[in-house]
Amino acid sequence: MPSPHDTLLAPSILAGDHANLRSSLKVIEDAGLEWVHLDIMDGHFVPNLSFGPQTVKAMRPDSKLFFDVHLMLDNPQLYIDAFLDAGADQITIHIEPNYPVAETLGYIKSKGCKCGVVLKPDTPAEDAKKFLPACDIVLLMTVEPGFGGQNFRQDVLPKIEQFDTWRAEMSLNYRLEIDGGVDLEIAPLCTARGADTIVAGTAFFKAADPSVFIAAVTA
Ligand code: DX5
Ligand code: ZN
């Protein structure tokens, strides 16, 4: 079913230049895009470390991009204030760790920031259904979180359709975001199933001509 939202591309700066993230933000802005996807990793929930709120705060003044912050943390509830202070426009939190997910969504929203839940590829869609009314966005991982450059997991495609169906059945308006291994060929498989927000790290920053990728994703 077509999404109620225009399709947009959110480049993951994890695939950017970590010695000069400001230049990677400029690549995104020069491509005429509006979102940047910021992957925050704690080395516990995922076996990798990326960057924290101080880095996000340092990027904030120079950029008008929408900061889509993806928290891959065991205890995201402990870091919400830090990322709000850093200038996050949206914070998405995984439902797998054991912490008060609903309360954390409510807190993010109470501070005027958009919020949503994230599911790893093997997490059943049903596990997130009760949180949907509180969500501005649902982020479906199509790779095991922790690293960019992995292969897209086609077995997640039915889950995209499930959240698209629930969005219509429950008269909700969340964005449906796909994250991990998305490239030129994969993006249409996702948008055809109702996805409207495409995260891409490798396929964007390693593209010879990002405009070709952008056109394919947002067609
Ligand atoms: C992985 C991150 C993804 C990743 C996407 O844990 O959440 O956002 O950076 O990168 P690509 O598009 O290279 O798979
Ligand atoms: Zn991500």
Side-chain angles (χ1 to χ4, degrees):
M1 181 176 307
S3 165
H5 301 286
D6 292 338
T7 302
L8 64 81
L9 175 66
S12 165
I13 209 162
L14 189 72
D17 177 354
H18 286 248
N20 186 356
L21 290 174
R22 187 173 281 125
S23 70
S24 298
L25 289 174
K26 190 167 180 336
V27 168
I28 298 170
E29 287 163 354
D30 290 351
L33 297 171
E34 295 173 3
W35 284 33
V36 56
H37 184 78
L38 300 164
D39 285 309
I40 311 301
M41 302 178 181
D42 65 359
H44 295 278
F45 179 65
V46 293
N48 194 9
L49 288 161
S50 58
F51 48 88
Q54 187 175 353
T55 305
V56 176
K57 189 165 189 171
M59 292 191 278
R60 182 73 277 181
D62 292 347
S63 179
K64 291 187 175 36
L65 291 172
F66 182 88
F67 279 18
D68 171 30
V69 177
H70 173 193
L71 296 184
M72 288 164 271
L73 314 178
D74 268 336
N75 287 289
Q77 75 282 11
L78 303 180
Y79 298 91
I80 302 305
D81 284 333
F83 283 99
L84 291 171
D85 176 61
D89 294 296
Q90 176 171 269
I91 297 175
T92 52
I93 54 179
H94 276 266
I95 63 170
E96 293 89 3
N98 180 23
Y99 70 96
V101 175
E103 292 80 350
T104 305
L105 290 170
Y107 181 74
I108 296 167
K109 187 157 286 222
S110 74
K111 297 293 183 181
C113 183
K114 291 196 179 292
C115 67
V117 291
V118 195
L119 284 72
K120 292 165 73 171
D122 293 329
T123 299
E126 278 294 341
D127 290 4
K129 193 172 183 182
K130 57 183 174 290
F131 303 121
L132 296 179
C135 291
D136 298 298
I137 193 165
V138 173
L139 171 49
L140 301 180
M141 295 300 302
T142 43
V143 297
E144 198 60 26
F147 297 91
Q150 301 177 73
N151 292 329
F152 181 89
R153 285 208 14 200
Q154 303 255 351
D155 61 315
V156 180
L157 288 173
K159 199 192 284 187
I160 300 173
E161 291 173 306
Q162 178 62 76
F163 280 96
D164 179 51
T165 300
W166 282 338
R167 176 168 57 188
E169 283 176 353
M170 298 166 72
S171 302
L172 296 175
N173 193 42
Y174 50 77
R175 274 192 166 271
L176 192 44
E177 186 173 32
I178 309 304
D179 184 4
V182 180
D183 61 18
L184 216 51
E185 285 74 45
I186 295 286
L189 300 179
C190 301
T191 50
R193 288 168 171 81
D196 47 53
T197 311
I198 302 296
V199 175
T202 306
F204 176 77
F205 282 105
K206 305 292 184 267
D209 177 357
S211 62
V212 172
F213 180 54
I214 294 166
V217 168
T218 54

